[in-house]
Amino acid sequence: MSIRTTESRPVRVLLIALALGFIALFLVLPLAAVFTEALRKGWDAYWEALKEPDAWSAIRLTLLTAAVAVPLNLVFGVAAAWAVAKFDFKGKSFLITLIDLPFSVSPVVAGLIYVLVFGAQGWLGPWLAEHDIKIVFAVPGIILATIFVTFPFIARELIPLMQAQGNDEEQAAQVLGASGWQTFWYVTLPNIKWGLIYGVILCNARAMGEFGAVSVVSGHIRGQTNTMPLHVEILYNEYQSVAAFAVASLLALLALVTLAIKSVVEWRHERELKAAAELPPEAPSHAPTHAPLVLKEAP
Amino acid sequence: MTSATLPVGTVPSAGARPRRRVLPGFHLTLGYTLFYLGLIVLIPLSALLFKTFTLTWPQFWEAVTGPRVMASYRLTFGASLIAALVNVVAGLLVAWVLVRYSFPGKKIVDALVDLPFALPTAVAGISLTALLAGNGWIGQYLEPLGIQLAFQPAGVVIALIFIGLPFVVRTVQPVLEDAEKELEEAAMCLGATRWQTFSKVIFPTIAPALLTGFAMAFARAVGEYGSVIFIAGNVPMVSEITPLIIIGKLEQYDYAGATAVATVMLGISFILLLVINALQGWQRRRSGDLA
C-alpha cells in the first residue's frame, strides 16, 4: 500500500483552479490589456504612435541608458563577487548589506539623492553651473539614477553562486601557473556564465523600465530627457491612450523576452547540474557544483 | 577535516602568521567595490542625511508629521500590509501548486510569476488602471455593483499585490521543493489527517520563508511609485502615497521638506532590510538544522 502524501483529487483541482485564476486575473489580464489597448485603433495607429519622433528619441535614450548602466554594474558585480566570495575579511556581511541597499531604497528617494548632490541647490550645483555642466534634469542624471536602482542585480546573482563553488578550481589553476586573468577568464568565467547572463538580463530589464528614480531626475523634456516609461506617462496623462499603450507594448515585449531568456538560462543551468550529478564520483568533474539560481530582486 | 571548516578564501596554514592569499586580485576587486559603492550609493545617500541635518528638530518634525504626510503614511503602510498579506496567501497557493501538482502549461505559469519583476512599473500601472477603470474589462462589471477600485485606496492595494507576488512565490518555492517527503509520510503513517500534516509538519518548515517573502513584498510595496500613481487617483489625504509626497514637495522646490520625508522612508527601508537579512539567516539555520 502506498502512502498518500498528496491531497484528494477534488482538492487538487480546486487549488490549481484557484492559483491559475489568481495568475490569470493579476498577471495575464494586465499583460493582455497592454497589447489590446495598443491595437484598439488598428495597426496603422499603432505604427503611427511608434514612428513619432518623440517616441523614437525616448527609445534611443532608454537604449543608451541601459548600454551605459548595465556594463558598469556588470564590472562592479564581478569585482564585488570576486572579493566577497573568494576571500574572507572583516565586515563582509555588512558590505553585502550595503550592496543590497539600493534594492530597499524607494526609487523616488534614489532620484532625490542625486538631485541633492548635483541639483542647483545641491553640493556640486554651483560648481557645475559655473562650468556649464548639466547632470540633473539631463541625460547624465538619468543614467546615474538608473545605475543606482540596478546596482545590486549582478553582484547579488554572482555572490551566492561563487560562494557555493568555492576556490578549489582557481587554486588549482594558480598552482599550475595560470596568471590571475587567465584563472578568471578560463576557470571562473565558464563556471559563472549562466548566473552572469541571468543577472545581466534582469539588470537590463530594470534599467530600461525604471520609472520612479528617473522621473525625479529627468525634468521631463520631450524629445530630450524622456525615457520610454516617462514617455508612456506623458502620453497617458495627455489621454493619448493608444500611443501610450503602443510604447508600453514595446516595454511589455521586453519583459516577455526577458522572461523567455531567463527560463532558457534556468533550463540550461539545470541540465548542466544534472549532467554533473550523473558523473561517477571518482571521475574528475568538469561541471562544478552550482548553487541553484534563485531570483534575488530582494528589496 | 580542518580545511572543511575553514571559511571560504583562507588557505589552510598551520599557524603561519603572514597568511598568504593564494588567489590574486583581492585588493583590486575589494578596492574597486568600495570605490564604486561609495561613489554611486554611499556619498549620494549621505547627501540626504547632511541635508536633513541642516533642518532644526522642530522643522524636521513638522515636515514629517504634517497631516497630509501622516495620511500618506497610513495609506502607504496600510496598503502595503494588506497587499503583503494577500501575497502570502496567494503566493503560498501558487508555490504549492507549482511544486506539488502537475498540470498543462505549468512551465509557462512558472515563468509568468516573474512578470512583475520584468514588466516596467509604469506599464503595470497604466494597464491595471485601464482594466479597473469604469469602462475597463473588469471595471465595467464592478461599476453596476457600486464597486470602484481605480482611483481609490483599493487601487493602490491591487497595484501592490501585483508588484509583490513574485517575492513570496520565489522564497517559498525552493523550501517547498526541499521539504522532506519522509516527514509527511511518517505523519501519515502515524495517522495524521492531510490537514494536520500540513499545519503541524509542512507549515513550520515553510514558515520562515513565508515570513521572509512577506517582509520583502512589504518592503518593496512601501517604496513603490510607478505602478501606484496611475491607479491611485492621488487625492491628498485620501489616496496619496508617501513617495508622491516627496515628489510633490520637490516640485514646489521644498527640498528640505522632501529630504525630511525621504529620510524617514530611508530609515524605514534600512530597518526592513536588516529584518529581512535576519529572517534569511534564521531560514538558513532552520534548513541547515533539518538537512
Side-chain angles (χ1 to χ4, degrees):
Chain A
M1 188 193 94
S2 73
I3 302 157
R4 197 169 55 89
T5 55
T6 186
E7 287 67 39
S8 61
R9 198 181 151 76
V11 176
R12 270 195 326 244
V13 170
L14 178 72
L15 289 180
I16 292 174
L18 278 175
L20 291 184
F22 186 85
I23 297 267
L25 201 60
F26 272 87
L27 301 180
V28 179
L29 217 49
L31 193 61
V34 174
F35 294 104
T36 316
E37 292 287 325
L39 294 170
R40 209 170 44 179
K41 288 184 184 155
W43 284 97
D44 289 338
Y46 181 79
W47 289 123
E48 277 312 308
L50 293 183
K51 277 195 302 203
E52 214 217 351
D54 286 346
W56 259 112
S57 84
I59 293 171
R60 272 202 306 275
L61 181 57
T62 293
L63 292 176
L64 171 74
T65 306
V68 177
V70 175
L72 282 175
N73 283 338
L74 173 64
V75 172
F76 161 74
V78 172
W82 183 268
V84 167
K86 302 287 180 195
F87 301 97
D88 218 33
F89 51 91
K90 268 206 187 102
K92 187 154 103 169
S93 55
F94 184 62
L95 178 65
I96 297 177
T97 304
L98 285 182
I99 291 174
D100 270 348
L101 194 56
F103 271 154
S104 58
V105 173
S106 171
V108 171
V109 178
L112 173 68
I113 60 177
Y114 286 101
V115 175
L116 292 177
V117 174
F118 299 108
Q121 306 189 0
W123 279 352
L124 300 176
W127 186 86
L128 290 170
E130 227 169 76
H131 294 78
D132 207 23
I133 304 170
K134 259 185 103 62
I135 291 191
V136 170
F137 310 128
V139 175
I142 292 174
I143 294 176
L144 276 172
T146 304
I147 292 176
F148 182 94
V149 292
T150 57
F151 182 87
F153 274 89
I154 296 167
R156 267 325 259 164
E157 212 50 63
L158 292 183
I159 289 172
L161 192 64
M162 278 164 76
Q163 271 176 336
Q165 285 170 2
N167 288 0
D168 296 352
E169 293 187 34
E170 280 84 0
Q171 282 169 357
Q174 290 285 302
V175 170
L176 293 171
S179 72
W181 274 116
Q182 285 174 321
T183 307
F184 173 74
W185 202 255
Y186 295 109
V187 178
T188 309
L189 200 58
N191 282 344
I192 60 169
K193 64 172 186 279
W194 295 123
L196 204 67
I197 296 172
Y198 198 86
V200 166
I201 56 157
L202 291 177
C203 183
N204 178 64
R206 181 70 191 268
M208 290 191 173
E210 177 53 29
F211 178 74
V214 169
S215 165
V216 176
V217 295
S218 134
H220 303 271
I221 307 162
R222 277 186 109 144
Q224 282 179 37
T225 60
N226 260 351
T227 60
M228 286 166 77
L230 296 179
H231 193 59
V232 169
E233 184 200 18
I234 289 188
L235 292 172
Y236 189 80
N237 288 341
E238 286 173 350
Y239 299 104
Q240 299 191 45
S241 172
V242 168
F245 276 102
V247 179
S249 73
L250 292 184
L251 291 167
L253 277 179
L254 166 77
L256 288 177
V257 170
T258 303
L259 291 185
I261 298 176
K262 183 183 149 287
S263 300
V264 170
V265 167
E266 277 170 342
W267 179 67
R268 293 288 298 264
H269 183 85
E270 249 167 54
R271 222 175 43 168
E272 279 186 14
L273 267 182
K274 275 211 188 89
E278 278 161 11
L279 282 177
E282 65 271 26
S285 141
H286 291 291
T289 47
H290 286 268
L293 284 174
V294 183
L295 194 67
K296 274 200 193 60
E297 207 213 319
Chain B
M1 195 59 216
T2 44
S3 67
T5 57
L6 276 171
V8 178
T10 50
V11 184
S13 57
R17 260 294 103 178
R19 215 167 48 187
R20 215 171 61 84
R21 301 182 192 276
V22 168
L23 293 183
F26 175 64
H27 293 288
L28 177 73
T29 53
L30 185 65
Y32 182 71
T33 301
L34 293 176
F35 167 75
Y36 192 73
L37 180 72
L39 202 67
I40 299 290
V41 179
L42 299 183
I43 294 175
L45 275 178
S46 67
L48 189 73
L49 296 182
F50 278 107
K51 183 79 184 172
T52 308
F53 287 136
T54 62
L55 278 91
T56 63
W57 180 248
Q59 279 174 323
F60 177 80
W61 192 248
E62 201 194 311
V64 300
T65 58
R68 203 168 146 186
V69 184
M70 290 303 276
S72 83
Y73 294 147
R74 275 194 294 278
L75 174 65
T76 297
F77 291 102
S80 301
L81 189 69
I82 298 171
L85 287 173
V86 172
N87 277 330
V88 165
V89 177
L92 174 60
L93 175 68
V94 171
W96 182 271
V97 165
L98 284 176
V99 172
R100 294 292 173 109
Y101 307 148
S102 59
F103 52 90
K106 183 167 139 173
K107 281 203 162 149
I108 295 173
V109 173
D110 194 16
L112 210 58
V113 166
D114 285 325
L115 182 72
F117 283 161
L119 192 70
T121 51
V123 178
I126 62 169
S127 177
L128 288 170
T129 311
L131 283 175
L132 295 175
N135 57 356
W137 287 353
I138 300 177
Q140 60 179 323
Y141 298 109
L142 296 177
E143 203 168 44
L145 306 171
I147 304 170
Q148 209 193 348
L149 295 177
F151 316 119
Q152 301 285 333
V156 178
V157 176
I158 287 171
L160 295 179
I161 292 174
F162 173 86
I163 288 299
L165 180 70
F167 290 103
V168 179
V169 178
R170 292 305 185 221
T171 42
V172 173
Q173 211 174 3
V175 181
L176 264 182
E177 269 162 8
D178 291 346
E180 287 166 89
K181 277 261 175 193
E182 288 82 355
L183 283 177
E184 287 173 52
E185 285 169 3
M188 286 294 187
C189 289
L190 294 169
T193 63
R194 191 63 199 152
W195 176 248
Q196 283 173 325
T197 313
F198 175 77
S199 58
K200 300 255 166 69
V201 177
I202 304 171
F203 189 76
T205 324
I206 56 175
L210 265 180
L211 205 57
T212 310
F214 168 81
M216 285 176 163
F218 180 75
R220 172 69 198 265
V222 165
E224 178 57 23
Y225 175 71
S227 58
V228 174
I229 51 152
F230 294 100
I231 204 169
N234 307 327
V235 180
M237 305 297 293
V238 179
S239 54
E240 195 179 37
I241 53 168
T242 311
L244 188 65
I245 294 269
I246 298 176
I247 299 239
K249 283 181 187 285
L250 266 181
E251 276 168 0
Q252 294 159 17
Y253 300 102
D254 179 9
Y255 284 80
T259 308
V261 178
T263 306
V264 171
M265 289 213 72
L266 183 68
I268 290 165
S269 17
F270 199 69
I271 292 168
L272 284 171
L273 181 64
L274 293 178
V275 168
I276 290 166
N277 277 358
L279 283 173
Q280 282 173 329
W282 178 41
Q283 193 186 325
R284 265 196 300 275
R285 280 196 302 280
R286 279 287 291 266
S287 47
D289 290 345
L290 289 172

